[in-house]
Amino acid sequence: MKHLFTILLFTALFLLSSTEIIAQQNPETFKLELEDFTIAGLPGLHSFAWGLSQRGWIIIGGRNNGMHGFQPTQAFPPANANTTVYLVDPQTQQVWSASMLPLPASLAEQLASNNMQFSQFGNRLYITGGYGYKTSNATFMTFPNVGAVDLNGLADAIFNGTSITSYFRQINDTRFAVTGGYMSMIDSTFYLVGGHKFDGRYNPNNMPSFTQEYTNEIRKFGISDDGVNFSINNYSAINDTAELHRRDYNLVNQIFPNRELGFTAFSGVFRYDADLPWLNTVDITSSGYAVNNSFNQVLNQYHTAHTVIYDSLANSMHTVFFGGIGMYRIDTANNVLIVDSLVPFTKGISQVTRYANGTMDEFQLPVAMPGYYGASAEFFPIDTAPNYTADIFDLNKFGTTKTLIGHIYGGILSTDPDIFMTGVGSSTASNKIFRVYLTKDQTTGIKDPHSQKEKMLLNCFPNPANSILNIEFKAETGKRILLQVLDEKGREIKSFDVLANGEKQKLEYNVRGLSNGLYHVRIISGNDTNSTKVLIRKK
């Protein structure tokens, strides 16, 4: 049975700020449609690695059960690790498979793990780390390995029912004992961003059954590969224990306002101060990285299926996130955003837009996924769809007819939003596939809602401050505004929710309890933001 879900992206959407949702005309000029189906013989899987061969998708590893359980013995049962490699042709709706158990033990164990990092370069898929069960040690671990897969050779072997052993290679390197991070490429340089090393049995109560160490790094390297032997070269690492302390997030290809290709790390977990997602984002290019504390992503925060669409004429970048898990939900009846500290599954589909001037907005789309789909699912792009570069679709090359741009497969399907914390409901690995279509509207271009708006007044004094900081502000009458005091790393120290009256207003904030250093004060109202820096220097 097929179902059709239409997302009209040029109709009214919800634009999100940190505290409220404003219904407005979406500046986008295209629509997306989702159509679901299943393929006989293709099981439900999540947290897997994948690549594109000349015959179709190659799917490796992951798990065939739902969300991990509470108790260590129930969290990641070895019996539910995927030990089969699948070849999938979504056009003919056929699937072929081969067991990975005949491979050498070190290879078979890594490739049956979950949350590996992976990136395709030409016909080769490179895989790092992953968390799984090592039989020889009878323990769970993050594998210190890099694997290389000949995708076309493997696809032919699976299709023809011949041995797959010669199409896998592996080296040992402890620098790549990482799980829950992301791996991608700029030119011929690989980037392994975030993640952690997790050894032992998972235990949500932090009992001494495991050790965990976040990488806090962007690891850059090259791979020399002659088809027989391969090795790591030009390795370097950038460490930031504050902003790169994240995993289970989305690292998304982006075209930045200066037209440079890079990535944005959206959200992720966990913050130092609480078991909650990060809200800020990190932009990464070949020259380094920059933390964006002027934007908060509040929807679709864990690893989920996503795709990117670029409007080269307007120089605007659009990232769409399909379902998954998020810390906030929308009360549409009252038009407000509500925090849910249980961080539940969501049916929502959101869009983050970066405009030519660098500002960013988040939109809640008016049509949701048909259930709690998306977490740890993947988006498989169609090579024949109009691309700009690096799996980024070029909006200006689309016509006004419906075009298939890719598929969403797998992930966790939950019956209820909060099954992990409340114990209500259950989850499974989804075998559902969603076709994703894009249709461009006849109207072209996009208007930046920030371009003709005057910034709201914000002034702080004295600066430096040592006891009382005066925060002076002005915004349009009737606007609900949020005033935030942030530390140097962008973490919220204090917030004030105020109704603007159109005149200059002032509030006093006692800073005696703060440490000396640089802080940020930010004002947010709907689409508009303004910020200033304040130095705290107590006598």
Side-chain angles (χ1 to χ4, degrees), residues 32 49 72 87 129 232 297 306 323:
L32 297 179
L87 168 64
I232 305 300
Q297 184 192 17
H306 56 264

Side-chain angles (χ1 to χ4, degrees), residues 21 113 130 147 160 173 190 207 232 253 314 322 337 402 442 463:
I21 306 166
S113 67
N160 294 315
D173 193 324
F190 291 85
M207 300 298 286
I232 305 300
N253 291 332
F322 299 92
L337 195 63
K402 185 168 70 173
Q442 292 181 351
N463 192 2

Side-chain angles (χ1 to χ4, degrees), residues 113-300:
S113 67
N114 53 271
N115 297 101
M116 297 172 279
Q117 297 79 209
F118 56 95
S119 184
Q120 183 170 343
F121 183 47
N123 174 50
R124 295 188 179 116
L125 181 70
Y126 294 100
I127 299 173
T128 60
Y131 176 74
Y133 187 71
K134 188 168 183 62
T135 303
S136 61
N137 295 340
T139 188
F140 290 85
M141 64 179 293
T142 299
F143 291 98
N145 303 110
V146 182
V149 184
D150 176 347
L151 292 169
N152 289 339
L154 176 61
D156 287 343
I158 297 172
F159 182 83
N160 294 315
T162 57
S163 173
I164 66 172
T165 303
S166 62
Y167 303 107
F168 294 91
R169 293 168 292 152
Q170 184 189 59
I171 59 175
N172 183 276
D173 193 324
T174 57
R175 295 173 297 185
F176 298 97
V178 180
T179 186
Y182 242 100
M183 194 163 83
S184 196
M185 295 182 66
I186 299 177
D187 296 325
S188 58
T189 299
F190 291 85
Y191 290 70
L192 176 56
V193 182
H196 61 150
K197 185 175 185 290
F198 193 97
D199 293 330
R201 284 190 174 273
Y202 171 81
N203 191 322
N205 297 315
N206 289 323
M207 300 298 286
S209 62
F210 65 85
T211 60
Q212 180 185 30
E213 181 181 1
Y214 283 73
T215 71
N216 300 318
E217 287 186 343
I218 300 170
R219 298 176 177 179
K220 300 171 60 175
F221 58 97
I223 297 180
S224 298
D225 191 347
D226 62 8
V228 178
N229 299 301
F230 72 102
S231 60
I232 305 300
N233 59 51
N234 299 322
Y235 179 92
S236 64
I238 302 170
N239 183 277
D240 187 332
T241 57
E243 302 299 344
L244 300 178
H245 184 85
R246 58 186 78 200
R247 58 177 173 84
D248 299 330
Y249 64 100
N250 294 295
L251 185 73
V252 184
N253 291 332
Q254 299 279 284
I255 304 294
F256 292 106
N258 64 356
R259 309 279 181 169
E260 184 176 8
L261 176 65
F263 323 110
T264 293
F266 285 92
S267 195
V269 294
F270 282 105
R271 293 173 4 201
Y272 283 107
D273 58 341
D275 287 341
L276 295 173
W278 294 94
L279 302 181
N280 63 359
T281 60
V282 181
D283 296 328
I284 302 169
T285 64
S286 58
S287 59
Y289 74 104
V291 181
N292 184 359
N293 289 318
S294 64
F295 169 76
N296 285 340
Q297 184 192 17
V298 298
L299 303 174
N300 310 84

Side-chain angles (χ1 to χ4, degrees), residues 7-11 13-16 26-32 266 295-297 299-300 307-309 316-322 348-355 360-366 395 446:
I7 309 167
L8 299 177
L9 299 188
F10 45 81
T11 58
L13 302 183
F14 293 111
L15 174 65
L16 308 182
N26 181 24
E28 218 23 288
T29 57
F30 59 87
K31 70 177 180 180
L32 297 179
F266 285 92
F295 169 76
N296 285 340
Q297 184 192 17
L299 303 174
N300 310 84
T307 191
V308 279
I309 302 162
S316 54
M317 185 81 249
H318 315 291
T319 306
V320 179
F321 301 90
F322 299 92
I349 301 173
S350 67
Q351 171 193 333
V352 174
T353 294
R354 189 197 312 266
Y355 304 101
M360 296 170 69
D361 282 329
E362 185 175 25
F363 300 89
Q364 174 69 59
L365 301 179
L395 178 62
I446 178 171

Side-chain angles (χ1 to χ4, degrees), residues 12-136:
L13 302 183
F14 293 111
L15 174 65
L16 308 182
S17 75
S18 295
T19 56
E20 65 180 342
I21 306 166
I22 300 176
Q24 72 158 32
Q25 193 75 12
N26 181 24
E28 218 23 288
T29 57
F30 59 87
K31 70 177 180 180
L32 297 179
E33 298 176 60
L34 273 65
E35 182 181 78
D36 74 83
F37 66 100
T38 58
I39 298 177
L42 181 62
L45 291 173
H46 66 84
S47 308
F48 51 84
W50 64 273
L52 296 176
S53 76
Q54 60 189 4
R55 289 188 180 272
W57 310 340
I58 296 290
I59 298 173
I60 299 172
R63 301 193 60 79
N64 58 30
N65 62 338
M67 190 172 183
H68 57 74
F70 265 112
Q71 301 303 318
T73 56
Q74 302 171 0
F76 291 89
N80 292 114
N82 174 35
T83 59
T84 300
V85 57
Y86 293 93
L87 168 64
V88 182
D89 184 340
Q91 303 303 321
T92 63
Q93 299 189 26
Q94 292 178 284
V95 60
W96 301 265
S97 64
S99 173
M100 293 190 294
L101 295 180
L103 296 173
S106 61
L107 255 172
E109 289 170 344
Q110 181 196 11
L111 297 177
S113 67
N114 53 271
N115 297 101
M116 297 172 279
Q117 297 79 209
F118 56 95
S119 184
Q120 183 170 343
F121 183 47
N123 174 50
R124 295 188 179 116
L125 181 70
Y126 294 100
I127 299 173
T128 60
Y131 176 74
Y133 187 71
K134 188 168 183 62
T135 303
S136 61

Side-chain angles (χ1 to χ4, degrees), residues 18 296 482-486 492 494-495 520-522 524:
S18 295
N296 285 340
L482 176 71
L483 287 166
Q484 293 177 304
V485 180
L486 311 169
E492 183 180 290
K494 180 70 175 178
S495 65
H520 303 268
V521 177
R522 179 167 64 185
I524 303 173

